[in-house]
Amino acid sequence: MRLLQFVAALGLVGTAFSQSSTVKSYVASESPIAKAGLLANIGPSGSKSSGASSGVVVASPSTSNPNYLYMWIRDTSLVFKTIIDQVTLGQDTSLRSQIDNYIHAQAIIQQVSNPSGTVSTGGLGEPKFYINETAFEGSWGRPQRDGPALRATAMITFANWLLDNNNATFVTNTLWPIIKLDLDYVSANWNQTTFDLWEEIQSSSFFTTAVQHRSLREGSALATRIGQTSVVSGYDTQASNVLCFLQSYWNPTSGYITANTGGGRSGKDSNTVLASIHTWDIAAGCDAATFQPCSDKALSNLKVYVDSFRGIYPISSGIDASAAVAVGRYPEDVYYNGNPWYLATLGVAEQLYDALLTWDSVGSLDVTDVSLPFFKQFSSGVTTGTYASSSSTYSTLTAAIRAYAEGFVAIAAKYTPSGGGLSEQFDKSTGVPVSAVDLTWSYASALTAFGARAGTKTASWGAKGVTVPSQCTGNAGPSVSVTFNVQATTQVGESIYLAGSVDALQNWSTEYALLLSAGETYPTWTLTVTLPASTSLQYKYLRKANGTVTWQSDPDFSLTTPASGTFTQNDTWR
Ligand SMILES: *[C@@H]1O[C@H](CO)[C@@H](O)[C@H](O)[C@H]1NC(C)=O
Ligand SMILES: *[C@@H]1O[C@H](CO)[C@@H](O)[C@H](O)[C@H]1NC(C)=O
Ligand SMILES: *[C@@H]1O[C@H](CO)[C@@H](O)[C@H](O)[C@H]1NC(C)=O
Ligand SMILES: *[C@@H]1O[C@H](CO)[C@@H](O)[C@H](O)[C@H]1NC(C)=O
Ligand SMILES: *[C@@H]1O[C@H](CO)[C@@H](O)[C@H](O)[C@H]1NC(C)=O
Ligand SMILES: *[C@@H]1O[C@H](CO)[C@@H](O)[C@H](O)[C@H]1NC(C)=O
């Protein structure tokens, strides 16, 4: 009766009730479809994963426009984290054999040499492989350094559960060697640039940094638990360094997390919402240092991110400025003309459900100066303060936030075609599915959002009580000395320069490209540069004469630096 009066007072009786029954029936019908859709894309016997090795997740069965018939480390890890949660929380123990297949497959994949390197020279940063566990050699945005962290997180979650269930042997003998390779990679490389999770921008990326932090924290705790103490202090040191760096993405003036340090966009990006839900730890409460879903920073960020989609998609025209809207990856997106994505829209709902669960667990809700604009969407008169769960402000706000979360699920529901298949995107004008069909990650995002909606609390990973060092320390990591020699005949007044994909090669800058020298060695021009070890990079030569710049013809040269020592690269201008 009280709830009825409350919604009646808001004049929402009709819409709120029809929305809640729509969402309820959508969740009931879509849950089994999403789960079956996810399992259909896993080899060897998934019905839509023909050709995939055992335990390999096909990103989508789509083979053209776009071709997603690959195994991405990120997608696979997020999908298997979902499965591992279902098994370890006792929701569906029948999936246990899938996990065994996955572990077997990843142990193989880690050892496959690829364009990013070998297992010991950077190959763990390779983003995607063919579904038969062989390397994809084509050009791509590599490396992507979130993959090893996400894989470690999935496996650590399973390892902790096995330890709780008297299976330490498997953890020590089989899982730990896989986890350690990934964590050593994260520990050594977190301070290097990376392609972001959308594979477009090479810089530093919030999602990557956030999941790297999580993996090192829980990796250190697991190592302690199984007596692998030699790595503990190294992982702890780097976890603190990463957490320190994580703070730098926060933009205090505009109240949001800038998703990437490069790329020249607003930085409002689903990247940040996905980071919050995939690093949720209910034991950490609403801690802002780890950007927990109910932290003031993550809530402020959520509002800014969602608002950046108001008015840009025709399907959202006429939607009230405080109601749920369809959201995509980032407002400047032009991929497939830039559309809303299911996993982004469901991700917003999931952050809100996670926040609601956390407030209930904490027993109160804080409104701070930072989160005030977020809360004002639900109650224009709300003021900063702490509201106990027994207070009417708490009830009013949480009821409205729950309805808001349901609104995002209702949007996914509205644009889910009959049959329930979830593609990657839905058209911003017509709402019909666009891009890859049966995207495994879309299905996983539905399952985790529905899980949070139903009250599922995933295992804690040690976010509680972490402290941010007062001064940040980088980790440039080991470096090597590389000499570039290029044969190039030049005219008087003309010089040869070098630029490439890493900081030390000036991030492809024409203006700041590095000058080579040619004396007695002419026509060989030469330069020795200190570069990060075990790193794959691309570079090109260019010539400058009297203010005119000419780049060598495509393709780029590429190089993987050795783990140590010196190296000489011999090229010819083209
Ligand atoms: C693996 O799959 C790729 C892509 O379909 C194919 O080109 C390659 O020949 C396959 N390799 C093996 C060993 O089957
Ligand atoms: C330990 O866990 C692994 C991985 O799921 C499983 O294959 C193995 O049978 C388990 N061993 C025992 C003794 O339960
Ligand atoms: C490396 O860490 C330092 C200190 O936090 C930071 O200033 C720098 O931007 C980081 N660089 C990358 C590429 O992560
Ligand atoms: C290269 O890009 C990174 C990340 O955007 C930035 O921190 C760094 O300063 C840039 N380096 C140069 C030499 O421009
Ligand atoms: C650059 O300008 C100088 C002086 O005008 C001229 O002698 C020279 O040929 C020019 N070089 C090129 C490569 O155009
Ligand atoms: C380049 O040439 C030097 C000496 O001529 C040689 O020692 C080096 O191995 C060459 N580098 C490569 C990558 O072939």
Side-chain angles (χ1 to χ4, degrees):
M1 197 60 200
R2 272 203 0 242
L3 177 65
L4 239 181
Q5 280 158 357
F6 166 70
V7 287
L10 291 175
L12 291 177
V13 168
T15 50
F17 281 113
S18 71
Q19 172 179 290
S20 99
S21 67
T22 304
V23 169
K24 203 171 155 194
S25 68
Y26 174 67
V27 170
S29 62
E30 187 64 21
S31 293
I33 295 172
K35 189 157 166 189
L38 178 145
L39 294 174
N41 291 352
I42 303 177
S45 46
S47 62
K48 294 187 178 173
S49 60
S50 168
S53 302
S54 175
V56 164
V57 176
V58 174
S60 153
S62 174
T63 54
S64 63
N65 301 318
N67 180 2
Y68 279 11
L69 199 69
Y70 296 96
M71 184 205 65
W72 269 268
I73 304 299
R74 171 177 40 261
D75 298 42
T76 298
S77 303
L78 293 173
V79 164
F80 264 96
K81 174 64 164 57
T82 306
I83 291 176
I84 287 167
D85 283 344
Q86 292 214 354
V87 170
T88 56
L89 296 170
Q91 294 170 340
D92 183 355
T93 52
S94 76
L95 300 173
R96 175 83 179 262
S97 61
Q98 297 271 4
I99 301 175
D100 290 350
N101 294 346
Y102 160 72
I103 292 163
H104 185 72
Q106 295 303 312
I108 293 170
I109 285 291
Q110 282 188 322
Q111 304 293 330
V112 173
S113 296
N114 61 65
S116 293
T118 67
V119 64
S120 56
T121 65
L124 295 172
E126 182 70 0
K128 72 174 193 181
F129 293 81
Y130 287 124
I131 63 171
N132 58 13
E133 299 173 330
T134 62
F136 165 72
E137 305 276 355
S139 66
W140 205 251
R142 57 170 70 92
Q144 295 177 21
R145 305 188 198 275
D146 54 343
L150 293 168
R151 179 166 53 205
T153 283
M155 297 220 183
I156 291 166
T157 306
F158 189 51
N160 281 321
W161 180 79
L162 290 175
L163 293 175
D164 292 343
N165 288 278
N166 306 314
N167 194 340
T169 313
F170 188 79
V171 174
T172 300
N173 295 348
T174 305
L175 281 179
W176 178 249
I178 301 171
I179 294 167
K180 182 176 185 295
L181 281 175
D182 282 336
L183 294 180
D184 286 349
Y185 176 91
V186 172
S187 185
N189 293 290
W190 68 266
N191 200 215
Q192 309 285 340
T193 59
T194 176
F195 273 86
D196 69 319
L197 79 172
W198 310 133
E199 319 192 280
E200 293 171 345
I201 296 176
Q202 185 169 30
S203 66
S204 300
S205 191
F206 182 78
F207 177 84
T208 304
T209 306
V211 300
Q212 287 175 335
H213 172 245
R214 173 181 177 159
S215 72
L216 290 170
R217 288 279 174 209
E218 58 193 345
S220 159
L222 174 65
T224 303
R225 211 176 157 190
I226 60 173
Q228 300 285 337
T229 47
S230 65
V231 298
V232 169
S233 79
Y235 292 170
D236 284 348
T237 301
Q238 297 308 341
S240 289
N241 291 340
V242 179
L243 181 66
C244 198
F245 180 49
L246 190 70
Q247 311 309 309
S248 69
Y249 294 88
W250 174 247
N251 175 346
T253 328
S254 308
Y256 70 96
I257 302 160
T258 308
N260 301 297
T261 57
R265 300 176 190 149
S266 64
K268 298 168 188 171
D269 194 314
S270 170
N271 169 321
T272 60
V273 177
L274 296 171
S276 189
I277 62 182
H278 291 299
T279 59
W280 180 42
D281 181 344
I282 196 165
C286 300
D287 172 48
T290 52
F291 296 88
Q292 289 300 311
C294 59
S295 64
D296 56 1
K297 287 180 178 173
L299 293 173
S300 174
N301 176 70
L302 189 73
K303 177 178 191 305
V304 174
Y305 159 72
V306 170
D307 284 350
S308 76
F309 289 90
R310 298 194 186 282
I312 72 168
Y313 297 146
I315 54 167
S316 303
S317 76
I319 290 184
D320 188 89
S322 58
V325 282
V327 293
R329 301 189 300 177
Y330 50 90
E332 302 89 346
D333 200 357
V334 293
Y335 184 51
Y336 281 82
N337 292 323
N339 296 298
W341 283 42
Y342 294 101
L343 68 88
T345 304
L346 290 165
V348 174
E350 186 167 337
Q351 185 186 328
L352 294 165
Y353 293 130
D354 289 349
L356 289 162
L357 288 169
T358 312
W359 286 319
D360 276 353
S361 145
V362 172
S364 66
L365 168 161
D366 279 335
V367 179
T368 70
D369 288 332
V370 172
S371 58
L372 189 60
F374 170 82
F375 287 105
K376 283 199 163 189
Q377 299 178 104
F378 310 107
S379 168
S380 55
V382 71
T383 53
T384 57
T386 297
Y387 300 97
S389 56
S390 55
S391 68
S392 64
T393 303
Y394 182 97
S395 310
T396 307
L397 288 173
T398 52
I401 291 167
R402 190 167 180 89
Y404 186 53
E406 299 277 282
F408 288 90
V409 182
I411 287 165
K414 181 170 179 184
Y415 299 111
T416 298
S418 63
L422 294 181
S423 298
E424 181 180 72
Q425 315 177 21
F426 46 104
D427 188 277
K428 62 182 164 193
S429 301
T430 62
V432 303
V434 185
S435 184
V437 295
D438 292 314
L439 190 81
T440 325
W441 189 358
S442 293
Y443 289 128
S445 78
L447 294 177
T448 54
F450 298 166
R453 179 179 183 273
T456 298
K457 298 166 189 165
T458 48
S460 288
W461 55 269
K464 183 181 177 185
V466 298
T467 53
V468 182
S470 56
Q471 192 155 16
C472 290
T473 307
N475 177 32
S479 58
V480 287
S481 177
V482 178
T483 300
F484 290 89
N485 292 325
V486 60
Q487 299 240 27
T489 40
T490 45
Q491 320 228 327
V492 176
E494 193 173 41
S495 298
I496 300 294
Y497 293 75
L498 168 68
S501 60
V502 292
D503 279 7
L505 297 180
Q506 306 295 93
N507 288 349
W508 292 116
S509 166
T510 304
E511 189 180 355
Y512 301 109
L514 305 169
L515 176 64
L516 279 71
S517 62
E520 288 169 10
T521 58
Y522 181 83
T524 300
W525 292 72
T526 185
L527 176 71
T528 299
V529 193
T530 301
L531 293 177
S534 307
T535 299
S536 87
L537 52 89
Q538 289 75 45
Y539 65 96
K540 256 187 186 165
Y541 299 99
L542 55 154
R543 40 178 91 213
K544 296 187 185 182
N546 297 340
T548 318
V549 175
T550 313
W551 286 85
Q552 69 165 69
S553 59
D554 283 334
D556 300 336
F557 286 120
S558 49
L559 167 70
T560 298
T561 59
S564 61
T566 60
F567 186 73
T568 303
Q569 181 73 3
N570 308 304
D571 298 314
T572 303
W573 171 273
R574 60 177 182 227

